[in-house]
Amino acid sequence: MQIAKRLDRLPPYLFVDINQKIAELRAKGEDIISFAIGDPDLPTPAHIIEYMCHAAHDPTNHRYPETAGLPELRQAIAEWYEKRFGVILNPDKEVLPLVGSKEGIGHIALCFIEPGDIALVPDPGYPPFPMGTILAGGEPYSMPLKEGNDFLPDFESIPEEIADKARLMWLNYPNNPTGAVAELDFFEKAAHFARQHNLAVCHDAAYTEVTFEDYRPPSFMQISGATDIGVEFHSLSKTYHMTGWRIGMAVGNAGMIEALFRVKSNLDSGIPQAIQHAAIGALRGSQNCIAEHNAILQQRRDKLMRVLNEVGLKARVPKATFYIWAEVPQGYSSVNFTKKLLDEAGIAVTPGIGYGKEGEGYIRFSLTISDDRLEQGISRLSSWHARKYHCEER
Ligand SMILES: Cc1ncc(COP(=O)(O)O)c(C=O)c1O
C-alpha cells in the first residue's frame, strides 16, 4: 500500500494534535482547562432543535438530500443576507448550502487551482485555506497579517509576478485567529487588487455575528460588483452554536457557485434534510439568541482580558470573534510558551505558529469554555504568574 505523495505536504490538522495531547494528559488524571478550540460550549437554541426534531419524524427527510440543498433553505439564506447586510442574492444561482463552511472552503480550490497555481492566503490564517490549495496541487503564498497594520494584508507588498500568477485570494474578517475586523473600505481595496490581477476572491465571514458592544461587521458582498469577482463563505456554526450539525453556505458569483456545486455533487450527497430544516428555522426564526450568546461571550472576554493584563500577556480587545490573540513574553516561542502553560498551569491554548509562520510569537485563547471553567482558568493563570516563571530560549 502506498499513500499518495500529495499527503506528504499535509500536516496533521492542528486541532487533532492539540486534542490528542489534552486527551493524553487527561487520561493521566490531569485536570486540563482548555482554551484551545473554537467550538461554542453553549447549546444550540431550543427552537432550532425543535425544527430539527419535527423534520426528523417526516419520512420525506429520510432519503438522500440534493447537493444543491432544499430550495426553501436557499431562499432562507438569501432572505437572511438581505435582512442582515442588505445584499440581494439569487437563491438558485448565487447560494449554495454546504456541509459546514469548512467543506466548501476546502473544495473550492479544486475549482480554480491548477497544479503550480498560487492562492494568496492570510498568515496567520485558518488552516484549510492553504491546505485546500495544497490538495489541489497549488502553492499557498502567505499575505502576512501584521499587528502594525491591524492584521490586514498589505496588497502593495505582494510582488507583481506573484499576484499575476495567483488565481484565488482568501480573506477572513472578523478574523480567526487574530480577532481583527475589516471595514468596507478594506474590501473595496481588496476588490480593486483582485480586479487588477484577475483573482477570484473568497471571503470567509464565519464570525460576522459573534460581536461585542453593538459592532456590526460588514459582508464582502456589500461592496459594489462583489458578485462579479467573488464568493463569501458563511456558517450557522458560530452564529447559532450549531457546529455539530454541520451546515454553512457559499454565496456570490454564480460561476464560482456553479463550479463548487459541480465538485460537490460528485463528492457529497448534501446535508441531511432535518438539519436543513433546522437551518431554515434558525435563519427565519427569532435572532435574539445571537445577542444572548454574545453578551455571555463579552463577559468572558472582559474577565480573560483582565487576567491577561495582570499576568503581562499583551492582547488587543477583540470587537468580534471569540478569540483573544495574545503575545507570548520575550524569550519564548509560541510552542514552548504553550507547553509551559500546559505543564505548569494545566491550561491549554493554541500556539500561533499553527496558523502560519506569522503566528509565531502569539497564542490564541478561545472563549468557548463554560463560565465555571473560565473562572478556574483565570485563577490558575493568576497563581501560576505569582509563582513566577523562568525564561527559556526562544
Ligand atoms: C475562520 C473559520 N472559517 C470557517 C470555519 C468552519 O466553520 P464550519 O463549522 O462552518 O465548517 C471555522 C471554524 O472554526 C473558522 O474558524
Side-chain angles (χ1 to χ4, degrees), residues 202-217:
C202 290
H203 180 239
D204 177 349
Y207 293 93
T208 62
E209 307 314 295
V210 184
T211 65
F212 309 118
E213 285 122 4
D214 302 326
Y215 175 64
R216 299 288 273 166

Side-chain angles (χ1 to χ4, degrees), residues 76-97:
I77 291 170
E79 284 165 16
W80 186 84
Y81 252 83
E82 183 174 1
K83 235 194 262 164
R84 169 64 178 89
F85 298 114
V87 168
I88 309 284
L89 297 163
N90 177 330
D92 296 325
K93 294 197 159 69
E94 295 177 331
V95 173
L96 182 62

Side-chain angles (χ1 to χ4, degrees), residues 24-47:
E24 277 166 21
L25 288 168
R26 284 181 177 155
K28 283 191 213 153
E30 299 207 20
D31 177 30
I32 304 300
I33 298 177
S34 176
F35 289 89
I37 318 286
D39 186 358
D41 58 303
L42 299 165
T44 305
H47 72 281

Side-chain angles (χ1 to χ4, degrees), residues 142-154:
S142 289
M143 298 187 290
L145 306 186
K146 302 273 191 197
E147 189 155 0
N149 199 35
D150 295 327
F151 298 111
L152 298 170
D154 171 15

Side-chain angles (χ1 to χ4, degrees), residues 100-102 105 126 172 176 204 206-207 235 237-238 246:
S101 63
K102 183 179 182 186
I105 289 168
Y126 183 50
N172 163 223
N176 175 15
D204 177 349
Y207 293 93
S235 177
S237 287
K238 323 284 170 169
R246 310 309 304 134

Side-chain angles (χ1 to χ4, degrees), residues 12 36 49 146 160 178 203 210 218 244 248 308 311 354 375 380:
I49 306 277
K146 302 273 191 197
E160 201 74 12
T178 66
H203 180 239
V210 184
L308 294 184
V311 305
E375 294 289 354
R380 274 197 202 176

Side-chain angles (χ1 to χ4, degrees), residues 278-298:
I280 294 167
L283 293 165
R284 287 186 171 158
S286 162
Q287 303 294 296
N288 293 346
C289 55
I290 299 177
E292 286 161 17
H293 294 154
N294 288 347
I296 294 169
L297 289 167
Q298 187 172 321

Side-chain angles (χ1 to χ4, degrees), residues 13 15 37-40 98-105 125-129 170-177 204-207 233-238 242-249 321-323 355 364:
Y13 194 59
F15 294 111
I37 318 286
D39 186 358
L98 302 169
V99 193
S101 63
K102 183 179 182 186
E103 174 266 299
I105 289 168
Y126 183 50
F129 305 151
W170 281 101
L171 299 171
N172 163 223
Y173 292 98
N175 183 260
N176 175 15
D204 177 349
Y207 293 93
F233 290 88
H234 214 305
S235 177
L236 280 85
S237 287
K238 323 284 170 169
M242 288 177 69
T243 48
W245 306 114
R246 310 309 304 134
I247 187 156
M249 62 270 207
T321 79
F322 35 61
Y323 302 120
Y355 299 93
R364 193 195 73 173

